Amino acid sequence: MLSHTLEHGVLVITVDQDPGIDGRATLTTHITNLVDAHQPTPVVIVLTERAAGPASVSAVLRAHQWCRRLGVLMCVVTHSAPVRRLLENNSGTSGPRLVVHARVDTAITTAFTAAA
């Protein structure tokens, strides 16, 4: 379902497939556990094409709320323009906005620079 690495001081979590509505809570828990273990490291969540479904989007939005409460910088990468718009429009207005990128390298560089 997901994998993670540390790149240039940034936690990169890759979600490989949409878990479906029944797996949404589990995905959210996996992501927030990784965030907790690596905080205050900035986080980039990469949604692959197979992961760009409604349950993954919901889990990412919940993880963003968690990161916001912890004061951890988080951004998302997806190649899907409709998913980018969906994430941006539903990320909430209190606290830092969720930044959504189309490219992984740009997201990692941005997160690293912002945390420095």
Side-chain angles (χ1 to χ4, degrees):
M1 183 181 336
L2 65 81
S3 60
H4 71 282
T5 62
L6 283 172
E7 295 185 36
H8 304 291
V10 176
L11 174 62
V12 180
I13 301 171
T14 302
V15 181
D16 296 317
Q17 64 184 28
D18 187 83
I21 199 70
D22 293 336
R24 178 181 61 185
T26 301
L27 178 59
T28 302
T29 300
H30 286 309
I31 293 170
T32 57
N33 286 345
L34 285 168
V35 169
D36 286 344
H38 291 87
Q39 70 173 315
T41 303
V43 178
V44 171
I45 298 179
V46 180
L47 294 177
T48 65
E49 284 185 43
R50 290 183 22 201
S56 292
V57 168
S58 177
V60 166
L61 291 171
R62 290 174 187 221
H64 179 246
Q65 291 173 348
W66 184 256
C67 287
R68 195 180 318 173
R69 281 191 289 259
L70 296 175
V72 172
L73 174 71
M74 181 186 132
C75 59
V76 180
V77 177
T78 180
H79 296 295
S80 169
V83 172
R84 284 195 303 272
R85 284 190 296 275
L86 183 63
L87 286 163
E88 289 169 345
N89 292 336
N90 290 287
S91 66
T93 56
S94 64
R97 299 275 305 161
L98 179 62
V99 178
V100 185
H101 297 275
R103 295 179 38 170
V104 175
D105 59 337
T106 303
I108 293 170
T109 300
T110 302
F112 174 77
T113 303

